[in-house]
């Protein structure tokens, strides 16, 4: 027995090492994996039928959604990549590249808006699900495009200022403004003013929580108010900029304490999320430890989605650290299980996101969107097909020459 125990310990150590993430190269596939998860969550949310996918993606592992993951990871990648670029190029050059990227995404946004406007004139295409927002609980719908005739000048203005468009792509408007602000953020990081940057960002976020205002006329402000959502983008950018330092800190004793605390918070909030009062989720799949009234009061006060309540921000941070650690320790089995699917989506996240609204339109031609109808097999097939089409498009770079990534 004395010889068997060390052997078992050694085998466990070998198994642990073979499972760990150990790929060489500058590209961190764990980030791509996480971006793939965020994209799956958003595609499932925007294809509004109730399937098995919803059970795992609809605020099931915490009070967080794919939209927050998309914004945080976008900031993270910009911070990580531009720190290296700024060692070879000046900030003005990097800023010009960011402005060109914002301009490209702006043009894409205009094309999306106009394309659905034109498709609406075709009698054999029903554009309702991409030109309206529907509250699935009450069944009330709001048009996201004008319902009365408009003069040419009005059309020009509402399109130019992104005041209309599919709700499924509103986050692109937020991303444009965040890119325009990114040179300022990068300049502060380059000068070592990270605490000033985080402090000012937190101050703006806090002021918005107290006095919510829209600083742009664009439609995205209703779902993703710029002054609130800039905070998690800045957090992501600062984390990406200091990625190596944060990883080194995590290996120290104080760092391990912080990491454990973050994981514990993620687990606690994951437990809280199981008490969600989501009316579309079968009650048997939810816990009922926290009374519904207390959960709703907590959720809407501290974890609101559109306004990014402070507990939601905390949950975003803790959950992303936890998932990153899980991918680090269990990379090989997780990669074999889902990496082959999620990584191509994550590596072409903007490309996939742009195309997904057209996939949603295509699905809506054959399927009636309804979250009350729990036809699990059919709806799961619908989600799987939509995700499969997007994966094939991303895998084989269909129309990649014209669609930015």
């Amino acid at each position: 027995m004395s010889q068997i125990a060390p052997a078992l310990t050694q085998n466990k150590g070998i198994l642990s090492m073979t499972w760990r993430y150990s790929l060489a190269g500058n590209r961190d596939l764990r980030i791509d994996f996480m971006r793939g998860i965020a994209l799956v969550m958003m595609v499932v949310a925007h294809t509004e039928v109730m399937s098995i996918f919803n059970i795992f993606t609809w605020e099931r592992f915490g009070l967080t959604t794919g939209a927050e993951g998309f914004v945080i990871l976008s900031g993270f990648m910009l911070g990580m990549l531009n720190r290296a670029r700024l060692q070879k190029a000046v900030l003005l050059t990097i800023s010009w590249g960011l402005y060109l990227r914002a301009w490209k995404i702006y043009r894409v946004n205009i094309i999306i808006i106009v394309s659905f406007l034109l498709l609406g004139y075709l009698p054999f295409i029903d554009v309702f699900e991409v030109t309206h927002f529907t509250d699935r609980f009450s069944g009330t719908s709001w048009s996201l495009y004008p319902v009365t005739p408009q003069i040419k000048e009005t059309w020009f203005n509402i399109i130019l200022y992104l005041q209309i468009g599919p709700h499924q792509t509103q986050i692109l408007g937020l991303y444009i403004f965040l890119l325009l602000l990114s040179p300022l953020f990068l300049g502060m990081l380059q000068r070592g003013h990270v605490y000033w940057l985080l402090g000012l960002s937190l101050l703006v976020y806090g002021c918005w929580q107290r006095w919510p205002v829209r600083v742009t006329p664009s439609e995205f402000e209703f779902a993703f108010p710029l002054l609130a959502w800039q905070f998690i983008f800045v957090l992501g950018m600062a984390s990406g900029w200091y990625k190596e330092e944060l990883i080194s800190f995590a290996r120290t004793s104080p760092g391990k304490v912080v990491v454990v605390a973050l994981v514990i918070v993620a687990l606690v909030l994951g437990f809280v999320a199981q008490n969600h009062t989501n009316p579309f989720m079968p009650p048997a799949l939810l816990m009922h430890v926290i009374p519904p009234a207390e959960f709703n009061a907590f959720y809407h006060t501290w974890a609101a989605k559109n306004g990014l309540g402070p507990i939601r921000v905390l949950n975003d941070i803790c959950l992303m650290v936890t998932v990153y650690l899980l991918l680090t320790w269990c990379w090989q089995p997780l990669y074999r299980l889902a990496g082959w699917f999620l990584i191509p989506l994550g590596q072409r996240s903007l490309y996939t996101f742009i195309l997904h609204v057209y996939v949603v339109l295509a699905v809506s031609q054959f399927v009636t969107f309804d979250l009350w109808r729990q036809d699990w097999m059919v709806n799961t097939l619908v989600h799987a097909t939509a995700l499969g089409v997007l994966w094939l498009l991303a895998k084989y770079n269909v129309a990649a020459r014209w669609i930015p990534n």
Side-chain angles (χ1 to χ4, degrees):
M1 288 294 293
S2 61
Q3 294 178 345
I4 294 175
L8 288 174
T9 303
Q10 184 179 12
N11 289 336
K12 288 180 180 178
I14 294 173
L15 182 63
S16 176
M17 290 301 294
T18 57
W19 278 18
R20 285 182 65 90
Y21 182 87
S22 58
L23 299 178
N26 295 327
R27 191 170 191 107
D28 190 337
L29 296 184
R30 291 166 293 188
I31 301 299
D32 292 328
F33 196 109
M34 293 170 69
R35 290 201 295 186
I37 294 174
L39 276 167
V40 168
M41 293 172 71
M42 284 194 287
V43 172
V44 170
H46 291 161
T47 310
E48 298 184 69
V49 295
M50 196 67 183
S51 79
I52 294 174
F53 285 94
N54 295 92
I55 296 174
F56 298 99
T57 62
W58 200 339
E59 294 192 325
R60 295 295 285 167
F61 297 100
L63 306 173
T64 184
T65 65
E68 293 121 80
F70 190 72
V71 172
I72 293 172
L73 291 172
S74 295
F76 184 92
M77 294 301 294
L78 280 176
M80 181 179 69
L81 295 175
N82 285 305
R83 181 176 183 178
R85 290 170 181 163
L86 283 169
Q87 295 175 358
K88 303 176 182 178
V90 297
L91 180 61
L92 183 61
T93 302
I94 300 298
S95 300
W96 181 245
L98 291 171
Y99 291 145
L100 289 177
R101 182 169 177 78
W103 170 239
K104 181 181 290 187
I105 296 173
Y106 176 76
R107 297 200 311 269
V108 169
N109 214 337
I110 295 294
I111 291 171
I112 290 173
I113 292 171
V114 174
S115 68
F116 289 116
L117 184 64
L118 297 177
L119 287 171
Y121 288 102
L122 300 178
F124 53 87
I125 296 182
D126 182 4
V127 296
F128 182 88
E129 294 298 347
V130 293
T131 60
H132 291 73
F133 174 78
T134 301
D135 178 356
R136 298 297 169 186
F137 182 77
S138 64
T140 306
S141 296
W142 294 268
S143 177
L144 302 175
Y145 282 74
V147 294
T148 57
Q150 306 289 324
I151 61 175
K152 287 191 294 185
E153 289 78 4
T154 301
W155 277 115
F156 178 80
N157 287 331
I158 60 179
I159 293 174
L160 181 67
Y161 293 113
L162 307 180
Q163 293 177 312
I164 61 175
H167 71 89
Q168 293 91 346
T169 57
Q170 285 179 353
I171 200 171
L172 289 179
L174 170 68
Y175 194 45
I176 292 167
F177 281 91
L178 292 175
L179 280 173
L180 294 176
L181 291 170
S182 291
L184 171 63
F185 303 153
L186 290 172
M188 295 185 72
L189 289 170
Q190 187 182 31
R191 290 169 175 77
H193 300 324
V194 60
Y195 294 117
W196 277 103
L197 174 61
L198 293 174
L200 289 172
S201 179
L202 178 60
L203 178 63
V204 170
Y205 167 82
C207 288
W208 188 90
Q209 297 296 326
R210 182 64 180 86
W211 302 286
V213 295
R214 295 173 58 200
V215 293
T216 77
S218 301
E219 182 187 52
F220 76 85
E221 287 264 22
F222 292 103
F224 309 102
L226 178 61
L227 297 186
W229 284 70
Q230 57 77 30
F231 181 51
I232 59 173
F233 181 80
V234 169
L235 284 176
M237 182 176 283
S239 299
W241 183 276
Y242 289 104
K243 177 188 173 184
E244 297 303 324
E245 289 85 347
L246 289 172
I247 290 176
S248 297
F249 173 72
R251 296 191 180 105
T252 65
S253 297
K256 291 177 181 177
V257 172
V258 172
V259 170
V260 169
L262 292 175
V263 172
I264 291 174
V265 171
L267 293 174
V268 170
L269 291 176
F271 166 79
V272 172
Q274 305 315 304
N275 295 268
H276 209 294
T277 57
N278 185 341
F280 305 109
M281 195 72 67
L285 298 177
L286 297 170
M287 297 179 66
H288 306 282
V289 177
I290 302 175
E294 293 183 14
F295 177 87
N296 287 335
F298 167 80
Y299 183 87
H300 294 295
T301 304
W302 298 103
K305 176 184 179 293
N306 292 351
L308 279 185
I311 296 298
R312 182 174 287 268
V313 173
L314 176 63
N315 201 165
D316 291 333
I317 297 168
C318 295
L319 186 59
M320 297 194 82
V321 169
T322 302
V323 173
Y324 191 83
L325 284 174
L326 184 63
L327 289 172
T328 300
W329 294 336
C330 303
W331 174 255
Q332 293 299 331
L334 291 175
Y335 175 79
R336 294 191 187 99
L337 177 66
W340 59 272
F341 180 80
L342 293 172
I343 290 175
L345 294 178
Q347 290 180 337
R348 303 195 62 78
S349 57
L350 182 58
Y351 165 93
T352 306
F353 182 81
I354 291 169
L355 285 178
H356 97 281
V357 67
Y358 295 97
V359 172
V360 169
L361 173 65
V363 171
S364 70
Q365 305 308 297
F366 306 98
V367 178
T368 300
F369 285 3
D370 181 4
L371 294 174
W372 291 113
R373 190 181 72 253
Q374 296 180 352
D375 192 347
W376 294 100
M377 297 301 295
V378 172
N379 292 343
T380 299
L381 179 61
V382 168
H383 277 150
T385 302
L387 290 167
V389 168
L390 288 168
W391 180 82
L392 288 171
L393 292 172
K395 182 74 173 177
Y396 295 102
N397 297 327
V398 178
R401 180 179 178 181
W402 300 281
I403 304 171
N405 186 49

